Structure formats: structure tokens, C-alpha cells
Amino acid sequence: PGAGPSGIVFSTSIQPDGKIIIAGSFISFNSTSRALIARLNTDGSLDTTFSLAAGANGTVWTNSVQSDGKIIIGGFFGAFNGISRNNIARLNSDGSLDTTFNPGTGANNTVRSISIQSDGKIIIGGDFTSYSGTPTNRIARLNTDGSLDPTFNTGSGTDLTVWTSVVQPDDKIIIAGTFTTFNGTTINHIARLNNNGSLD
């Protein structure tokens, strides 16, 4: 990677071809301008074919790559390439904004984790308390088009931030963070959810 990124890298993910997506608060990689997101070749060098133009206008905390190579990003931003996207967006494999992914007004606060289920639905966690105007405390599931999945019911959700999540092969979801309750049940900092959003 040479000198590498000029600032913090908060997340990494790997595309099907082995190339590496990094995201964070950096503004360059190995002295080449790359604001907040970059793609690396398998040897760690910068992939110059991946260009974001203006990119996100705030910190990118998390990213996850779909099986088709598209990239979902989350963080604390209000636009991507000048187009309104509140804290979540999906990029095509070349770094351009995927306009078929429409999150509406998006998350009302920071998205800090993204993980993808086997059916392509998207688990997001963070500091938000609503998604596109619908209350949902710090954990939500999105359909593949970016809309909120109403079949995923977490009740009152978590009382504090969800920092990370991972989907098991059976589509149960492990979440972790600073929370001490989930849907009113005391559970400190780590929990597993069933596929419908209830506490396992």
C-alpha cells in the first residue's frame, strides 16, 4: 500500500474478484486523492479504475459488498456525488451511485454497521432512531431496493448504539455495541436476533 491512507480506515470488505474496499475519514491513498472510500488491488496498491467523483460529504463508517459486486456504504453523510443520501447509499462496482437503491430520507443518524443476509436483504445498525420516517431504534432490515422491511420487527430495539453486526449462515443476526437492553430485555453489549428481528 505504500504510504497508505491519509487518515483512519473504519471498515474493509472484499469484492468477489478479491479487490478490497476501504472506507473511513481519509482524503488520499498513497498521495493520490481518494476521499473516504477507495478500492485496492489484491497486492494493496490503489485501483485507479475505481473513482467516486465527489463521493460522500461526510465520514463513511461501514461498507459491505453484495454478491454482484455492488457496495453498500453507511456513515454520517447527507449526499453522495451531490445527490441526497442520508447516511446510506449503494454504489455500482465502478464507484458510481446506484440510483436503483432508494432509501427515501434514509437513516436519521449515523449508520455504523452493514451486513447482508443470504436473500440479499440488508441489516443496518448504528445510532439512528428512524429510517425514512419510520421509527426503528438502532437496528433495521432493508429490502434490496433500499426500502425498510416491515416484516423485521425489533420492538423498541436497543437502548444505545449498535456498532457491528454479522449474519450467520442460518440468517440469524449477531449484534454488538454499547447497548444494555434489547426490546426491554436486559442484555449487555451482544445479542443474537432471529430472522424476524426478535431476540434469540
Side-chain angles (χ1 to χ4, degrees):
S6 61
I8 298 169
V9 174
F10 288 118
S11 71
T12 62
S13 58
I14 300 176
Q15 291 189 317
D17 61 1
K19 291 186 176 183
I20 304 153
I21 304 295
I22 64 171
S25 61
F26 54 87
I27 58 170
S28 67
F29 186 91
N30 202 12
S31 302
T32 299
S33 178
R34 281 295 184 276
L36 311 176
I37 308 171
R39 184 166 67 194
L40 312 183
N41 297 307
T42 56
D43 65 356
S45 62
L46 183 67
D47 178 2
T48 57
T49 68
F50 185 80
S51 181
L52 302 176
N57 66 346
T59 301
V60 178
W61 279 95
T62 183
N63 78 91
S64 189
V65 176
Q66 297 183 167
S67 59
D68 61 0
K70 291 186 177 184
I71 305 143
I72 304 170
I73 63 170
F76 189 67
F77 52 84
F80 188 91
N81 284 354
I83 298 172
S84 178
R85 285 293 185 273
N86 287 322
N87 306 318
I88 188 163
R90 186 167 67 193
L91 314 183
N92 296 307
S93 58
D94 63 358
S96 61
L97 182 66
D98 179 5
T99 56
T100 68
F101 183 85
N102 184 4
T105 57
N108 71 337
N109 207 333
T110 308
V111 174
R112 298 190 185 273
S113 71
I114 296 170
S115 52
I116 301 173
Q117 293 189 319
S118 61
D119 59 2
K121 290 187 176 183
I122 303 150
I123 303 296
I124 62 171
D127 301 305
F128 56 86
T129 55
S130 73
Y131 185 88
S132 200
T134 300
T136 180
N137 284 327
R138 304 173 187 89
I139 181 87
R141 185 166 66 194
L142 312 183
N143 296 308
T144 56
D145 63 358
S147 62
L148 186 67
D149 179 3
T151 68
F152 188 75
N153 184 3
T154 59
S156 59
T158 64
D159 61 327
L160 290 170
T161 302
V162 174
W163 277 91
T164 188
S165 65
V166 64
V167 177
Q168 296 183 167
D170 61 0
D171 277 340
K172 289 187 176 184
I173 304 140
I174 299 171
I175 61 172
T178 55
F179 57 86
T180 58
T181 65
F182 180 87
N183 196 21
T185 299
T186 297
I187 189 158
N188 285 320
H189 313 304
I190 187 164
R192 187 168 66 185
L193 312 184
N194 296 307
N195 189 44
N196 64 2
S198 62
L199 185 65
D200 182 358

